[in-house]
Amino acid sequence: MSTSFLYRLCAAFLLLGACLSGAAAQTPLATFVGSEACAACHPSQHADWRMSQHRAAMQEPDDRSVLGRFDGASLRKGAVETVFSRRGEKFLIRTEGPDGKADDFAVKYVFGVYPLQQYLLELPGGRLQAFGLAWDARPAAQGGQRWFDLYPDRRLAAGDPLHWTGIDQNWNYQCAWCHSTNLRKNYDARANAFATTFSEISVGCEACHGPASRHVAWAAKPSEAAPHHGFEMSLDQRAGAAWQAGAGATAARTGPPASDREARVCAGCHSRRQQFSDDPVAAARFYDAFRPVTLEEGLFHLDGQQRDEVYNFSSFLQSRMHAAGVTCSDCHNPHSGGLRLAGNAVCGQCHSAAVFDQAAHHHHAPGSDAAQCVNCHMPATVYMGVDARRDHSMRIPRPDRTAALATPNACNQCHAEKSAAWAVAALKSWGAGGKPGAQPFAEAFHLADNGAPGAGAALARIIEDQGQSAIARASALERLSRAPTAADLPLATRALGDPDPTVRMAAVAVLARADAGTKRDALTPLLSDETRLLRMEAARALAGQAEADLSPAARLAFEKALGEYEAGQLFNAERPESHANLGALALARGRIDAARAAYEKALALDRTFAPAAISLADIARAAGDEKTAEETLRRSQAQNPDSAPLAHALGLSLIRQRRLPEAMAELERAVTLAPDDARFAYVYAVALHDSGSPRKARETLSAALSRHPFDRESLMALASYEMEEGDVAAAAEVAERLALLDPDDREAQGFVAAIRAMARSPRR
């Protein structure tokens, strides 16, 4: 039987299944009806919603909705003065426009309400842009009732992605989904324009429950035949469950939730994630529309505490509360957005006040701010200048980790004048401080993020421990994916069977670094995974050499899943990152012209986007055209002069052209711009050494190793250069650090053994 016949046969079965499915699905698709349609049957919930920030997430500008002073108030930053004024019913902002000249821009929409309010201004092509000066809505006594700059430490001119006219302040992409209902971005790539729509301007009932037309029909004529009362799904995790006090001071849920559905619906907005669909049904399933972040370096502290603006979902997933079955609405009224009870009473729903809301537990004056549960267990970080958001990992304070790992702790957040050692001693004096908490992965992540000895084994213990949260295990896999060894692949393969999609996603990233055969065997089953995210990730990992020998059935599944991946990238076709991803995919499949076109499109969208320029230069270099590579990099550098990767890439191009003085200047510039990048320092040091500056080369490597003490390349280079200078003792000291890294690395161990032998030999 020929391969082509098998393809046609499989395709025929797929088509037949689609036809049968379509014939059976006679029920019309649900449509959005608006929140007012809910009021008659759900008056209490509707009243709560009308008072919520969800209700005010986005509004038409008028005397009621606009909180900022538009009475001629002004704010100057550098040479730019911004004036806020009224002209009849219009609210105007006079400021620097996209051409760098001052002009008047009318407020199109009001965005948010408290503790700050932003304003959306209109640009051509259907673009709405979030203005970079915001109104501080807090009371004057708290420092509010003023205009303030969201980027006070940056001089943002027109052309900068973060300038209010720039690509990173675009409402259609960055903000719209979470502030309106039934948001459809509707970007037209050919016209480079948006026709964005929403069925309700703010976050209404259907933003969480889904389109309600079938539910309204069911309410008019109830029928048991309608699943979920006409909705696509039910948000019923709390139905039939209770929290019952047991022998201890903490209540337990009567039964585990049937799913994590409620948290995933909230996560569509309350998480740091990438979106690849605005289909409401897909969004409700979360992993069919979003790719969540793990506890990545830079976004989170080593112990999982929030660092960058990561919202709540990934934090909550780490918590003991989530593991015990707590849902968002156990603490929050989902319609008002407020807490179900005030202060410590919300925690007292499960944690006995007679035990925990006592000075014997919190060791502070009863009723004081310090006695509030959240101030110790949910410390806040301020974002956007004035917006304090609490960490939802609900952790035990660990000042010992502040001393060891430089992670923050709640004790020193209040007692800033005291040391971490003081906080450790205080906890010990209370008989506390001995509990590790629910986030025991910090030390393993510290080893991994520093490339230290033992990192692989420590990460493996986290990954295999089912007592760890899924987000912790996924984050360990993500770290393992940076440089997996052959011994890591079986571990990742086992993780592909984990019930949590985030764990499976991170396991795919590990196996994506394996050889073609291993990838093909491990990842082909995921082409039919229940979640779109996993199908996309698996297809992208298989694209290229690994796709070559897929069976006919697997080939069909691969093409379908790869189509989902490409559609997910094109969903964000207004972003340079998406075209860079498509360029990398084309390169992996050997389609050079398509890759070049994708990278050029990325640069057309954002002239400052360095990764696309570097990839285009690499394509030119691979074709033997180093001059074009240099020209590409220089054009991009003119738009983004502070990019260290561009300087580094340009330096390498100049070295290949034997223009050493120019190359050295660019390589040095890269190190200056990104002193924490060990690779840039290593390359610069090698260039220094080879050009006759061995002392400066050693100094550069020593500086890099002070930041990255276990960088393999830097250790080997420094040991070699110390040997050349005759300083065997210094070389041996560096080599011993190298020996700790990977006992199975024959090259490194042989290098170390040679230096040890020389160090032991008598001097001549």
Side-chain angles (χ1 to χ4, degrees), residues 710-713 715-717 719-720 731-732 734-756:
F710 294 102
D711 182 67
R712 182 183 184 277
E713 291 180 319
L715 287 170
M716 291 194 75
S720 297
V734 175
E736 289 306 321
R737 208 186 313 170
L738 183 63
L740 296 172
L741 275 179
D742 188 356
D744 297 325
D745 186 334
R746 293 185 178 182
E747 179 188 7
Q749 295 302 325
F751 178 73
V752 171
I755 293 178
R756 285 173 176 165

Side-chain angles (χ1 to χ4, degrees), residues 65 104 121 166 206 244 464 627 656 678:
S65 63
D104 288 330
L121 310 182
E206 294 165 294
Q244 296 180 344
E464 294 192 303
K627 191 63 178 174
R656 287 189 288 269

Side-chain angles (χ1 to χ4, degrees), residues 58-111:
M58 183 165 155
Q59 303 174 81
E60 300 276 356
D62 57 31
D63 290 332
R64 176 191 56 82
S65 63
V66 174
L67 302 180
R69 286 178 52 201
F70 282 80
D71 57 359
S74 64
L75 186 66
R76 176 175 289 277
K77 183 178 182 181
V80 177
E81 182 178 32
T82 299
V83 180
F84 304 87
S85 64
R86 289 281 299 267
R87 185 185 301 153
E89 297 299 312
K90 288 188 175 182
F91 295 81
L92 299 176
I93 298 178
R94 184 168 185 80
T95 192
E96 179 185 61
D99 57 0
K101 298 177 181 178
D103 203 350
D104 288 330
F105 297 89
V107 172
K108 182 71 173 178
Y109 292 108
V110 174
F111 213 56

Side-chain angles (χ1 to χ4, degrees), residues 124-199:
R127 286 170 168 77
L128 292 178
Q129 302 290 126
F131 193 58
L133 302 183
W135 178 254
D136 186 342
R138 299 174 302 163
Q142 297 178 18
Q145 301 302 298
R146 65 189 174 99
W147 292 105
F148 72 102
D149 189 352
L150 290 169
Y151 303 96
D153 300 325
R154 298 190 60 164
R155 168 70 179 99
L156 299 175
D160 190 303
L162 275 176
H163 187 262
W164 78 265
T165 61
I167 191 171
D168 288 344
Q169 300 295 352
N170 175 242
W171 165 85
N172 312 72
Y173 168 78
Q174 295 281 9
C175 325
W177 173 263
C178 293
H179 283 251
S180 298
T181 303
N182 188 27
L183 194 289
R184 297 303 176 109
K185 186 168 55 174
N186 295 331
Y187 175 69
D188 183 340
R190 290 186 177 181
N192 189 23
F194 295 92
T196 304
T197 63
F198 44 74
S199 60

